[in-house]
Amino acid sequence: MTADLAQRYADHLAILQRRAAAALERGGFDHLVVPSGTQHFQVFDDRDYPYAVNPQFKAWVPLTRNPGSWLVHTPGERPKLLYLQPYDYWHVVPEAPSGVWVEHFDIVVIRTPEEALSHLPANPSRCAILGEPQSALGDFTPNNPEPVLQYLDYHRAYKSAYEIEMIAQATVRGVRGHRAAERTFRAGASEFGIHLAYCQAAGQDATELPYGNIVALNTHCAVLHYTQLDRLPPKPLRSFLIDAGASHAGYACDITRTWAHDRDSEFQALIDAVERVQLDLCDRFVAGADYRRLHLDAHLLLAGVLREFGVLRMSAESALESGVSAKFFPHGLGHGIGLQVHDVGGFAASDTGGTLDKPDGHPYLRLTRTLEPGMVVTNEPGVYFADLLMQELRDGPHAADVDWDRVDAFRPYGGIRIEDELVVAESGVPRNLTREEFARTAS
Ligand code: GLY
Ligand code: MN
Ligand code: MN
């Protein structure tokens, strides 16, 4: 823990306190009260689901394994943390709080969840309580006031230097995992084997990773959220798409790479072309850029690649207008990332509400805001040859604009996605957290 980190955290906390004060004023409340969350149990069973911390809680403190704790912030006072450290010999008991954040909080150790009640503010009706319904304790039922959430969610898109550092640290783990995964793919492993190699290198398993690893070989690369993990490798091995992240102090990274087994194949050439598009787009992630425009630009550029590779016979513009490009690129260009892999507030028009609509025909875009300095967002264009969508295209009015032999040539490889995380700069091109880390660790 460097002095630098301590200062960054202190600055981050000051930002949170200012935001909390403004949000409480909007909602007409005196206290912000945030439960860390509770465990959920499977139906008719005593098995719990993996605990997922309330993101509004981990925004304040880097604690991700502490159900039953509470954060209380009253403007003008030091924030208070009610820290549950139960007497328990069945499970590991959370250690005493430690880290650069501790000195900024009044910490009260509680031994049972109910003990929190005597340390929460006197009047629950003066509290904005942010959390899930089952976190209710006595009269402290989460009320999630709209004006408070609208304010916090909108501003969460702007990351502090501390948060950017946490995402960069998550990226260190993610890149380690990606390098191991590529090696394991080249050695002929199954999806399951590659997944295990990734987890080993990243030092995290499914309970810690920010989302389920997407480890896909051959046609599975066309399934956008493929998480099945076959136990045997297909023969022959053609292609590998891995979309996998990592976590650090509650923050996520989200990285995708695609590889051809045969480096001289036409599919590798197609990957290279998609990567050139991705890099071209990266440079457009500048302050003032409308993310919707970037998404549509991605369609035009990818349609250009499909035309260049003989898949499409129509212009890029007609491919976009007719919806043909969306059959090959059926997801959004990306999303904000931070405490959540798909961070909240992607459509927020302002901190007092309102929605920025998605372009017609692009229902899966997760971000419609204008980029501003400090935002951290992904850039993840892709091209897929998914059976379902290819069939729709073949049955539709533009079937003749497609060379189906070319589609069939690429179909066994599934698809391509390349994904980096970018920090929007004050001016000029963004900081590319993903490529920075790949470059730093290149041998
Ligand atoms: N890993 C999910 C996504 O890229 O959005
Ligand atoms: Mn993503
Ligand atoms: Mn991803």
Side-chain angles (χ1 to χ4, degrees):
M1 295 288 171
T2 62
D4 225 27
L5 181 64
Q7 187 56 51
R8 281 183 186 175
Y9 178 78
D11 295 345
H12 169 69
L13 187 62
I15 294 170
L16 290 187
Q17 288 175 293
R18 278 202 299 278
R19 284 183 193 160
L24 289 170
E25 199 178 320
R26 295 275 169 90
F29 294 95
D30 299 333
H31 315 277
L32 186 73
V33 173
V34 188
S36 64
T38 56
Q39 292 190 289
H40 290 241
F41 289 87
Q42 296 177 19
V43 66
F44 304 131
D45 206 328
D46 65 358
R47 293 190 59 206
D48 51 340
Y49 290 105
Y51 165 69
V53 62
N54 177 354
Q56 300 283 1
F57 180 85
K58 68 173 174 171
W60 289 77
V61 283
L63 297 175
T64 57
R65 293 174 163 177
N66 296 70
S69 294
W70 295 72
L71 180 286
V72 180
H73 178 57
T74 306
E77 295 180 15
R78 268 161 69 84
K80 183 153 82 172
L81 178 70
L82 310 181
Y83 187 87
L84 178 61
Q85 206 178 15
Y87 296 117
D88 182 354
Y89 54 83
W90 288 94
H91 308 100
V92 171
V93 174
E95 285 178 12
S98 66
V100 295
W101 58 275
V102 168
E103 64 179 274
H104 300 282
F105 288 79
D106 286 338
I107 299 178
V108 180
V109 172
I110 54 175
R111 299 299 183 180
T112 66
E114 296 70 31
E115 250 181 77
L117 274 175
S118 52
H119 302 283
L120 290 170
N123 186 351
S125 71
R126 301 300 310 146
C127 299
I129 308 171
L130 311 184
E132 59 187 344
Q134 74 165 43
S135 290
L137 183 67
D139 291 333
F140 289 85
T141 302
N143 51 1
N144 298 321
E146 269 295 283
V148 175
L149 282 175
Q150 275 163 352
Y151 188 88
L152 295 178
D153 290 354
Y154 179 83
H155 289 282
R156 205 211 271 174
Y158 307 98
K159 270 52 180 185
S160 64
Y162 165 80
E163 293 184 289
I164 292 169
E165 179 57 25
M166 296 304 101
I167 300 170
Q169 288 299 318
T171 307
V172 169
R173 284 182 183 274
V175 165
R176 256 185 233 146
H178 274 263
R179 288 198 184 286
E182 192 204 345
R183 277 197 304 277
T184 317
F185 161 66
R186 299 270 176 223
S190 69
E191 293 166 346
F192 189 66
I194 297 169
H195 165 73
L196 293 179
Y198 182 94
C199 291
Q200 175 73 30
Q204 297 189 340
D205 70 5
T207 62
E208 299 162 290
L209 294 171
Y211 56 92
N213 278 354
I214 297 166
V215 176
L217 296 171
N218 294 2
T219 52
H220 294 162
C221 301
V223 182
L224 299 182
H225 282 172
Y226 175 84
T227 53
Q228 205 156 287
L229 300 173
D230 273 1
R231 269 45 175 184
L232 292 174
K235 285 197 181 71
L237 266 175
R238 293 193 174 94
S239 53
F240 170 40
L241 184 155
I242 174 162
D243 182 344
S247 305
H248 184 81
Y251 287 84
C253 77
D254 182 7
I255 304 170
T256 309
R257 290 292 181 269
T258 309
W259 307 100
H261 199 255
D262 175 359
R263 297 173 203 261
D264 298 323
S265 61
E266 197 179 18
F267 187 67
Q268 182 63 56
L270 186 59
I271 295 173
D272 294 343
V274 172
E275 179 154 28
R276 282 194 293 276
V277 164
Q278 199 259 5
L279 286 168
D280 176 343
L281 287 165
C282 279
D283 289 347
R284 305 183 192 197
F285 279 55
V286 295
D290 183 334
Y291 200 84
R292 294 175 287 199
R293 183 64 251 165
L294 296 174
H295 171 81
L296 298 176
D297 286 349
H299 274 263
L300 292 172
L301 292 168
L302 293 170
V305 166
L306 288 168
R307 194 182 149 89
E308 189 189 317
F309 277 74
V311 174
L312 289 184
R313 300 192 180 105
M314 66 208 309
S315 71
E317 288 72 19
S318 349
L320 172 59
E321 276 158 30
S322 59
V324 168
S325 61
K327 299 293 186 201
F328 296 93
F329 175 37
H331 59 75
L333 180 60
H335 48 87
I337 181 164
L339 290 164
Q340 293 166 288
V341 67
H342 297 154
D343 221 359
V344 291
F347 310 117
S350 75
D351 62 17
T352 52
T355 299
L356 296 168
D357 290 335
K358 299 169 219 178
D360 280 345
H362 299 266
Y364 300 114
L365 187 56
R366 290 192 171 96
L367 181 59
T368 52
R369 290 169 69 169
T370 293
L371 295 181
E372 291 182 63
M375 287 183 170
V376 182
V377 300
T378 68
N379 172 24
E380 47 183 305
V383 163
Y384 310 86
F385 302 90
D387 287 341
L388 176 79
L389 298 176
M390 292 302 102
Q391 195 57 49
E392 284 177 8
L393 192 52
R394 204 165 193 156
D395 294 341
H398 298 284
D401 294 314
V402 177
D403 183 331
W404 292 101
D405 288 341
R406 300 296 288 146
V407 168
D408 287 341
F410 288 120
R411 213 190 275 267
Y413 297 86
I416 299 164
R417 179 164 66 257
I418 302 193
E419 175 175 27
D420 293 340
E421 298 144 294
L422 309 177
V423 186
V424 180
E426 289 287 338
S427 66
V429 299
R431 176 176 171 200
N432 189 321
L433 294 174
T434 314
R435 288 184 194 263
E436 203 174 87
E437 183 55 19
F438 271 113
R440 192 185 70 82
T441 54
S443 49

